[in-house]
């Protein structure tokens, strides 16, 4: 059974738009932000093509533009607004062009109001939970010349069967759950993506089975908080079932929350014998218990260290990456130094560090953003300098080993192939011949901060 009553409505509007749109009409989808948005954009492209639009190249004029936005930090919003603004003149030249703004920014009431007021050339906005309504919004724009703004639906419905146009033939995103219930005090995600809801396991497993049969070699399961996946089975059981599917592929997943990283999940990775990537992305955010408490992260640094220890006891060579926010309201020099101590102790393979950005509507937006800008910049530089010493050390452990690499591209400037190792490390390697989208064994000869360097065997 799928919890999917409403694709029929989407399908109905898809055929109505298809009957109306101009012959030879083209579309453009621009994407900002995380992998979740990349995955959503593949569905948006799928619907565009089902409506009969064909892809336009960036910069070409087209009949339909959809900008899929990100709201996680102010910088991402500014970038998206400037890109949206660029379509004003195109719309003046071509009044029939339809412009839609979707994604996380479209779910913020202030942003939606601003677009309504000041971006009058935008025909519709739709929040992430409503992307299946895009064909309906295009139909309304075409037939009634009316602007639509879908906001606050917080739809808990999961619409299965939306057509997908994937960007890659050998790598695929598969969403397993949507939304977030954690309400970390700095984070806009629970407000713009709504409450947690999980897809049926049968739908996920059959999507993975089809992908593997079509030649996909890397599947990444996506969710804001994958390990709180809840259906007839839990996340550990889900990844075990997918890993047992027949075929030559690697399974990845992101993102995990420390609060529900279970022993069962760690065991599932270990028992998969390499089928599930030995890489765990585990956002720490801060090394200070005081800051973690105010961030509403619900774990202490001690508990985090215990999880890291368990991961390494069970899977000794596991790669662990993390997210850190510097300059959270009230973060003192001592708090920040605790984050540096945590990085030195844990020795993450990779750290994604962000400067705190106040997001309207979140709890921390009510607190003074009191760490001066220059202190924030200085802290992130100190943090990156420290991690710059740790990452190469974490990469050097692979020197002399043979890694099974999925080939992604060829870099003409360096005359090397570029691929990804099971531990999610970028590998740059020389080979007489390597095939994009296939696995190849590479001997690792040296390591840099951000990648491994090797030679095909
Ligand atoms: N400011 C800075 N970084 C943030 N993140 C989430 N919200 C904010 C914010 N308001 C970071 C967290 C999260 C990652 C995806 O983005 O580190 O794990
Ligand atoms: Fe945001 Fe926290 Fe949810 Fe991650 S777990 S999306 S940081 S609220």
């Amino acid at each position: 059974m799928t919890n999917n009553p409403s694709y029929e409505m989407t399908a109905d509007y898809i055929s109505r738009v298809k009957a109306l749109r101009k012959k030879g009409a083209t579309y453009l989808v621009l994407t900002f932000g995380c992998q979740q948005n990349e995955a959503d954009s593949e569905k948006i492209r799928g619907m565009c093509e089902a409506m009969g639009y064909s892809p336009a190249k960036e910069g070409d004029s087209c009949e339909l533009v959809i900008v899929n936005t990100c709201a996680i930090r102010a910088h991402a919003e500014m970038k998206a607004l400037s890109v949206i603004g660029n379509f004003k003149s195109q719309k003046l030249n071509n009044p029939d062009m339809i412009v839609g703004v979707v994604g996380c920014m479209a779910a913020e009431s202030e942003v939606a109001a601003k677009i309504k007021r000041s971006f009058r050339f935008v025909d519709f906005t739709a929040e992430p939970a409503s992307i299946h309504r895009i064909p309906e919004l295009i139909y309304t724009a075409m037939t009634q010349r009316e602007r639509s703004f879908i906001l606050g639906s917080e739809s808990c419905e999961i619409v299965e069967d939306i057509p997908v146009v994937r960007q890659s033939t050998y790598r695929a995103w598969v969403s397993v759950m949507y939304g977030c219930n954690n309400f970390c005090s700095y984070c806009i995600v629970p407000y713009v993506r709504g409450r947690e809801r999980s897809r049926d396991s049968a739908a996920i497993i059959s999507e993975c089975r089809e992908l593997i049969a079509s030649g996909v070699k890397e599947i990444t399961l996506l969710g804001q908080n994958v390990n709180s996946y809840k259906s007839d089975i839990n996340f550990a059981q889900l990844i075990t079932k997918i890993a047992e599917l027949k075929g030559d592929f690697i399974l990845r997943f992101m993102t995990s929350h420390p609060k529900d990283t279970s022993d069962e999940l760690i065991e599932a990775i270990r028992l998969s014998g390499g089928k599930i990537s030995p890489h765990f992305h585990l956002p720490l955010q801060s090394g200070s218990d005081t800051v973690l408490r105010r961030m509403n992260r619900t774990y202490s640094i001690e508990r985090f260290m215990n999880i890291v220890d368990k991961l390494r006891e069970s899977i000794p060579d596991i790669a662990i990456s993390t997210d850190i926010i510097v300059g959270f309201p009230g973060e003192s020099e001592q708090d920040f130094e605790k984050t540096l101590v945590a990085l030195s102790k844990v020795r993450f393979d990779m750290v994604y560090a962000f400067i705190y950005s106040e997001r309207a509507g979140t709890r921390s937006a009510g607190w003074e953003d009191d760490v001066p800008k220059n202190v924030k910049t200085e802290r992130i530089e100190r943090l990156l300098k420290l991690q710059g010493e740790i990452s190469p050390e974490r990469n050097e452990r692979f020197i002399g080993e043979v890694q099974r690499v999925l080939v992604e591209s060829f870099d003409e400037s360096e005359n090397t192939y570029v691929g990804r190792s099971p531990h999610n490390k970028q590998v740059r390697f020389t080979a007489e011949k390597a095939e994009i989208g296939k696995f190849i064994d590479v001997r690792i000869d040296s390591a840099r901060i951000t990648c491994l360097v090797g030679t095909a065997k």
Side-chain angles (χ1 to χ4, degrees):
M1 192 200 79
T2 59
N3 46 0
N4 170 28
S6 61
Y7 178 67
E8 277 153 39
M9 225 171 83
T10 305
D12 181 37
Y13 279 109
I14 285 179
S15 21
R16 291 199 215 182
V17 173
K18 192 169 182 182
L20 282 182
R21 58 121 188 91
K22 267 202 297 202
K23 235 182 139 206
T26 57
Y27 77 95
L28 187 65
V29 175
L30 298 174
T31 311
F32 292 89
C34 63
Q35 289 84 356
Q36 198 77 246
N37 263 20
E38 295 287 345
D40 285 349
S41 283
E42 293 187 339
K43 289 186 188 148
I44 298 169
R45 287 194 190 92
M47 291 187 281
C48 290
E49 298 200 8
M51 288 182 286
Y53 291 87
S54 45
K57 287 202 189 72
E58 212 170 326
D60 286 0
S61 67
C62 58
E63 281 66 35
L64 172 62
V65 174
I66 297 177
V67 185
N68 193 4
T69 60
C70 169
I72 197 97
R73 284 170 287 274
H75 180 68
E77 290 205 350
M78 269 146 39
K79 257 192 352 207
L81 283 176
S82 114
V83 164
I84 298 163
N86 288 340
F87 288 104
K88 183 175 181 179
S89 57
Q90 277 196 40
K91 177 96 172 196
L92 279 175
N93 293 335
N94 176 11
D96 285 339
M97 180 171 99
I98 292 173
V99 181
V101 175
V102 303
C104 294
M105 278 172 74
E108 293 177 282
S109 51
E110 279 170 29
V111 175
K114 179 175 175 169
I115 290 176
K116 198 169 182 176
R117 201 176 52 237
S118 316
F119 290 66
R120 300 202 60 83
F121 57 94
V122 171
D123 296 283
F124 65 83
T125 66
E127 59 197 356
S130 302
I131 56 166
H132 59 285
R133 292 184 61 187
I134 289 174
E136 174 192 342
L137 301 176
I138 294 173
Y139 182 76
T140 307
M142 279 177 156
T143 54
Q144 295 161 35
R145 301 246 158 208
E146 254 180 44
R147 304 170 75 209
S148 324
F149 301 88
I150 302 199
L151 197 64
S153 72
E154 278 216 358
S155 162
C156 278
E157 181 183 58
I158 294 182
V159 179
E160 293 287 353
D161 304 329
I162 295 178
V164 185
V165 171
R166 296 189 191 269
Q167 293 292 79
S168 164
T169 52
Y170 59 90
R171 305 170 70 192
W173 312 115
V174 173
S175 297
V176 299
M177 48 103 60
Y178 304 92
C180 181
N181 288 354
N182 291 323
F183 290 95
C184 301
S185 58
Y186 49 82
C187 188
I188 192 89
V189 167
Y191 303 92
V192 293
R193 286 196 171 263
R195 293 297 65 72
E196 280 175 8
R197 51 220 184 264
S198 297
R199 284 177 72 192
D200 282 341
S201 62
I204 298 168
I205 294 166
S206 83
E207 183 176 348
C208 291
R209 190 180 290 114
E210 281 168 27
L211 287 167
I212 297 160
S214 75
V216 165
K217 299 286 179 231
E218 178 191 280
I219 295 177
T220 306
L221 305 180
L222 291 181
Q224 240 67 47
N225 204 351
V226 281
N227 42 14
S228 46
Y229 174 84
K230 220 182 274 145
S231 163
D232 54 325
I233 53 177
N234 65 25
F235 188 63
Q237 293 159 337
L238 177 71
I239 55 173
T240 301
K241 284 201 170 188
I242 300 172
E244 281 167 1
L245 293 173
K246 282 210 173 59
D248 188 17
F249 67 96
I250 185 157
L251 183 63
R252 305 185 186 280
F253 59 86
M254 62 189 303
T255 291
S256 307
H257 192 296
K259 84 172 168 42
D260 32 34
T261 300
S262 65
D263 294 353
E264 192 186 356
L265 176 59
I266 299 173
E267 213 31 27
I269 304 173
R270 187 178 73 83
L271 291 174
S272 79
K275 203 84 192 228
I276 302 172
S277 161
H279 165 229
F280 213 94
H281 184 64
L282 196 63
L284 169 63
Q285 312 297 3
S286 167
S288 153
D289 281 340
T290 325
V291 174
L292 286 174
R293 215 170 303 120
R294 278 189 296 110
M295 285 178 161
N296 193 30
R297 289 295 286 178
T298 70
Y299 54 83
S300 62
I301 185 71
E302 191 188 345
R303 160 108 177 92
F304 188 92
M305 293 294 190
N306 282 340
I307 301 170
V308 169
D309 288 346
K310 269 192 192 156
L311 278 165
R312 290 195 171 134
E313 267 161 36
S314 187
I315 310 153
D317 74 339
I318 195 161
I320 306 176
S321 57
T322 202
D323 292 343
I324 299 284
I325 296 177
V326 304
F328 186 72
E331 184 191 67
S332 65
E333 172 60 23
Q334 285 86 343
D335 289 322
F336 174 66
E337 282 171 12
K338 287 181 182 159
T339 301
L340 295 183
V341 169
L343 259 53
S344 298
K345 279 197 187 151
V346 175
R347 310 201 85 70
F348 291 106
D349 288 77
M350 176 92 108
V351 172
Y352 300 89
F354 307 101
I355 287 180
Y356 172 71
S357 168
E358 186 177 296
R359 309 283 57 219
T362 60
R363 251 176 59 210
S364 69
W367 306 331
E368 195 191 342
D369 189 0
D370 57 354
V371 180
K373 206 165 169 242
N374 62 326
V375 176
K376 285 178 175 163
T377 314
E378 184 230 18
R379 285 184 188 165
I380 203 164
E381 281 167 3
R382 281 161 70 197
L383 186 149
L384 293 175
K385 182 164 178 288
L386 171 63
Q387 188 56 36
E389 292 157 17
I390 298 169
S391 289
E393 164 202 308
R394 294 296 297 157
N395 289 344
E396 278 160 16
R397 71 189 198 274
F398 293 104
I399 295 177
E401 283 191 12
V402 173
Q403 294 278 301
R404 195 154 186 260
V405 173
L406 181 58
V407 188
E408 292 174 348
S409 60
F410 182 72
D411 181 346
E412 305 225 345
S413 67
E414 281 195 15
N415 217 12
T416 52
Y417 287 95
V418 184
R420 202 147 285 274
S421 78
H423 297 76
N424 206 23
K425 307 263 180 196
Q426 190 190 78
V427 183
R428 308 182 75 87
F429 64 97
T430 50
E432 258 174 41
K433 194 171 167 3
E435 209 177 323
I436 312 280
K438 296 274 155 61
F439 289 108
I440 190 168
D441 282 341
V442 176
R443 197 193 58 240
I444 306 303
D445 304 318
S446 62
R448 299 188 198 155
I449 294 188
T450 53
C451 67
L452 308 176
V453 180
T455 320
K457 278 223 325 168

